[in-house]
Every structure is written in C-alpha cells, then in structure tokens.
Amino acid sequence: MNNKSGLILRHTPGVRANHWFVAIVFILATLSGLAFFHPAFFFLSSLFGGGPWAKILHPFVGVIMLVAFFMLASKEWQYNRVTDADHQWQKKAMDIMLNHPVEMPDIGRYNIGQKYLFRTLLLMIAILFLTGIVIWQPYFAPMFSIGLVRLAVVAHGIAGFVTIVAIIVHIYAAYWTRGAIRGMTRGTVTAAWAKHHYPGWYKEMSKRSE
Ligand code: HEM
C-alpha cells in the first residue's frame, strides 16, 4: 500500500495488458464465431471481410485467445483457491449483493463467485480449443470420423454459449463492484474499497506495507 495516497496496487501493468488483450481477442472470436453460428448473425462476417474470411480467421483468433488466456490464468491461479472464508461469504452472498449490513468474512483477493467463474472459463476455453481442433477445416477435421466432428460442432457451440454468458456475468459483476474496473485500468484501488470487498486481502496488504 502506498501510505501517502492510500491506494493499493491490485493489478500490475503486465496483468492489465494481458487481461485487456484477452478481452479484445475474445470479442473478435465471439463476433467471428457468431457470424456463422446462425444466419441472423451472418451480417457480422462483413467485419472480417466476408463469410469465407470470418471462417478462416476465427480458429486462428481462437488459438491466440487460448494462449493469452492461459498466460493470464497462470498468473491468477494462485489467488483462486477456495478457502473456508469463501464458504462463509457464499452463505451471506445474497445479503452482500443486496448491500445489507453484514460482517464480511475475511476473504482474500477474490470472492467465491469470481473463483467459480475462473474455473468455468478455464474449462470452457479448454473445451472450445479441443472441439475447435476436431472441427477445423481443412487442417484437422479430415483426421476424425464424421460422427466425432458432428459431436464436436455441438459441444463447441454449447461451450461458446456458456463462455459468452459467463463473460456477460463477469462484466456485470465488475461494473456492479464499483471501483473494480479502475483496478483493471489504472491498476490501483482505494484502501476503503479493499477493506469493504476483500477484508483478508486488505489486511495482508496493510501488513506488507508496515
Ligand atoms: C470488456 C470486458 C471485460 C471487463 C470490463 C472485465 C473486467 C475485469 C475486472 C474489473 C477484473 C478485476 C476484478 C477484481 O479486481 O476483483 C477482471 C479480472 C479478470 N478477468 Fe476480466 N473483464 C472483461 C473481459 C474478460 C474476458 C473476455 C476474460 C477471459 C476470457 C476475462 C478474464 C478475467 C480473469 C481471469 C480475471 C481475474 C479474476 C480471477 O482470477 O478470478 N475478462 N476483469
């Protein structure tokens, strides 16, 4: 903690750059994927130079997202272990979200909602990658049976849908926890914000600056 400004560094410049790179690539992967997911979204393909280009580019964008996401995940992994305080937080989650006055359990850097979301993203992005390889024309798909390719197409669509819903929840939660987006853009959060949302992490950071 910087004692003069009362601000605490939450995300380093490296993590911030990595995070926003993932976010941009995720949007590109989503738009190009939706373009040929359903005819109603086909107009999106014009953003990528038309239908054939959207189809060619989408898997490459997906691989870039996978690599960038797993780089981010490797840095965040250590903060996403579920603790006893997280279970206590979960029991009070409704009151916390409704802003009722409750004693906050000493949770660390992230709450259990963020930790579940992190696991969901890890699993879904891994499924998107594996099924994406199976259906990737003309490179890999011919190596697999038509039955497996069909199954992979369905699984890819479901995993894509779950990922989009998870990211909508992630963005809404980031917006709702006023001050969180500042942590991911400018890097710092106020001491009051840290104490209010993540008391265990606040205590740890205060001890470090003593
Ligand atoms: C424009 C959209 C996005 C916004 C506004 C946003 C916002 C944020 C914010 C504010 C944080 C920090 C939360 C905190 O300090 O407590 C965060 C963390 C994080 N975000 Fe995003 N994000 C976006 C897109 C994405 C995407 C597309 C992904 C991955 C596919 C992603 C993955 C993560 C991860 C892994 C973390 C660390 C949290 C954890 O490890 O549990 N974000 N995001």
Side-chain angles (χ1 to χ4, degrees):
M1 185 178 351
N2 181 329
N3 286 327
K4 260 194 201 155
S5 63
L7 294 175
I8 306 176
L9 179 69
R10 186 151 171 89
H11 302 289
T12 61
V15 166
R16 268 141 57 205
N18 194 160
H19 175 270
W20 292 119
F21 182 78
V22 172
I24 292 166
V25 180
F26 170 80
I27 291 167
L28 293 177
T30 304
L31 295 177
S32 55
L34 283 176
F36 44 91
F37 177 72
H38 190 275
F41 297 119
F42 187 71
F43 71 96
L44 293 170
S45 65
S46 53
L47 294 171
F48 301 88
W53 272 111
K55 217 165 167 79
I56 291 168
L57 291 174
H58 175 77
F60 290 102
V61 175
V63 171
I64 296 171
M65 184 179 87
L66 173 98
V67 174
F69 175 77
F70 276 89
M71 276 170 67
L72 177 66
S74 69
K75 292 174 205 135
E76 299 290 349
W77 189 269
Q78 52 182 319
Y79 310 121
N80 280 284
R81 286 192 197 101
V82 176
T83 63
D84 285 344
D86 287 322
H87 291 299
Q88 290 166 29
W89 187 97
Q90 192 171 6
K91 282 184 201 144
K92 298 180 181 181
M94 219 21 143
D95 284 325
I96 292 167
M97 282 188 275
L98 293 173
N99 254 331
H100 292 159
V102 283
E103 203 188 317
M104 271 289 265
D106 261 355
I107 58 163
R109 194 183 165 90
Y110 295 126
N111 63 46
I112 199 163
Q114 291 172 292
K115 292 176 182 178
Y116 283 150
L117 200 120
F118 181 75
R119 285 164 169 69
T120 307
L121 288 178
L122 272 176
L123 181 68
M124 289 305 132
I125 291 176
I127 294 176
L128 282 171
F129 173 67
L130 294 174
T131 53
I133 292 290
V134 175
I135 63 181
W136 195 342
Q137 294 280 8
Y139 307 113
F140 304 106
M143 295 175 196
F144 303 98
S145 72
I146 186 70
L148 186 66
V149 173
R150 281 184 182 157
L151 209 67
V153 169
V154 176
H156 197 76
I158 295 172
F161 177 77
V162 174
T163 311
I164 293 170
V165 172
I167 291 299
I168 292 172
V169 171
H170 175 66
I171 296 172
Y172 183 68
Y175 169 76
W176 187 87
T177 317
R178 205 183 296 170
I181 294 182
R182 175 210 159 103
M184 206 30 117
T185 49
R186 282 188 256 175
T188 53
V189 290
T190 63
W193 182 91
K195 201 172 176 178
H196 179 71
H197 294 290
Y198 305 97
W201 180 65
Y202 170 74
K203 282 180 193 158
E204 195 192 312
M205 297 310 282
S206 308
K207 254 191 235 151
R208 270 197 221 170
S209 67
E210 273 170 13

